[in-house]
Every structure is written in structure tokens, then in C-alpha cells.
Amino acid sequence: MLRLGASLMSALLALVCAATARAESLIVPVDYQDHEIELPGDFQKPAGVGPFPAVVLLHGCGGNDNYARHRSEAWGELLHQQGYATLIIDSFRPRGYSSGVCNNAALMPPRERAKDIFAAAYVLAGRPDVRHDRIAAVGFSHGGGTVLDAATDWDTLKPWREKLASRGKLVALVGFYPGCRETIMQDFVVPVLIMVGDADDWTPARSCEKRTGGSAPGVPALRLKVYPGAYHDFDVDGPDHLVIGHKLAYNAAAAQDARVELVNFLRQYLN
């Protein structure tokens, strides 16, 4: 029994060490207000032998706090099960917004923040354990709006898009309950999936439903999934609560369907 116990302990320690080895802190350099800042990121690989497709995860307006990390890590587990590496980045603290920008999103416009996606993808594409031509991004709320801006061909983002093209490729973008108004008339140049609740009073689904922009030649049409009765943050399992007057509430049915939608969508472009 003692020998069996030691063997089991050794196996458990090996598993712990292996899991620890797959987690790594990364730095993502990006330009901001005429100087370079460094975004901290947490990179994690799935089990197995790489190189792996990779997904960048972007927090909401509250910043990369415990609430946001809980959400990103929960989705990260699903992504690891699909064989994808993940990179969770903090866009706000290096810019001086440690408590987020929910009360004034103009402090950090999603179009400005979209640079973070290309910068993160550029860092990932330079790693030997990442598929440089199989990189995606998933954003939540403010991060979702950021994803939509990254999907359009804004002039201000062309230098970043071109820089990434010299090393890697962003092949798919997913926005959970994003603000759609800024990009409502813009064509998407990357495949996009949007998931939002029809009861969302913070980032209304109707703004996404009224899109007049299309998709660039050769790019699949936007996939938009609107969940009946679902509010903002419908995927976060926790008690209902208000944030600056907006209702956030878990919806089990929408959350489960969103898992299926995400897996099926990313599989088309990452596998």
C-alpha cells in the first residue's frame, strides 16, 4: 500500500508539474499615446504536442478583475479541450485604468484597443508552439466591441494588420454581447460570430441586427446568434446583479448553446 501510495503521489506531482509548465506569463508590446506600453498576458497550452492554434481572450469594461478572469478562464478550459492555446491579456492596467472604464468607455475606445488583438497575435505567431496561421480572438462586452473593430478595415489599424501579415494570420473573431453601433456600416474582412441576448439593455441586440455592412469578398457572412430572454453576461454563472443600471444575468440555456456555437465556429477556421 505504501508503494502504491508513493506511485500515485508521484503521478499526481507529475500532472501538477505538467499543468504548471503549460502556464506562462507573456508580455505584449503595443503603442499607446505615442509610446510603447507592455500588456501582461497569461498564456496556456492544452495537453499534447504543438504547435497549437491559439485564441486571444479580451475582458470587458471592468478590466481584468476576478470576475473577468473567472469568465475568461472558464471559456479557456473549453478552448483547451478543443486543442487550442489561449492568451488572456490585460488591456487596461498598463494604460492607467485599473478600475476599468465602465463609467466612461470613451477613455478606451474599442477601435484603439483593437490594436491589442493584432499585437497579441503577432507575439503568438512568433512562438514555435503556436500555429502562426491559426489565430483567433474572443471578446466579451467591451472586448466584444473591440473584436468587431479588429474585424473591419479601419485605416488606423492597417499598419497593425500589415505587421501581423508579415508573421501570422488572424482567421476568426468572436464577440459576446458586443456594442455593434460603431461598426454597423462597416464590412468585415475576417469571419465573425456575434452572440447576444435580446433582453440585453447595455449592448442591445437590435444594433447588431440592423447592420448594413456586409463581408469583404471571400469572407463568410456574419453569423449572428440572438438568445431570447438573455441579458448581458448571460454566460457567467452567478447571481443576477446591476452594473451602472444595467442588468447582468446568467442564462443556462443560452450559455450552453453558446459553447456549441463557439466550438463549431472556431473549428471551421482553427482546425
Side-chain angles (χ1 to χ4, degrees), residues 230-241:
Y231 289 88
H232 206 73
D233 280 17
F234 63 78
D235 58 311
V236 182
D237 191 355
D240 297 3
H241 60 287

Side-chain angles (χ1 to χ4, degrees), residues 40 42 57-74 88-94 97-103 113 140-142 177 202 233 236 241-243 248:
D42 291 330
L57 294 164
L58 296 105
H59 58 72
C61 68
N64 198 35
D65 57 10
N66 289 336
Y67 180 87
R69 290 193 63 82
H70 168 73
R71 174 174 53 197
S72 293
E73 289 170 358
I88 301 172
I89 58 173
D90 185 341
S91 292
F92 289 173
R93 288 184 186 276
Y97 305 123
S98 58
S99 57
V101 298
C102 293
N103 287 310
R113 188 185 175 196
F140 306 93
S141 194
H142 189 288
Y177 29 87
W202 200 343
D233 280 17
V236 182
H241 60 287
L242 296 177
V243 175
L248 279 60

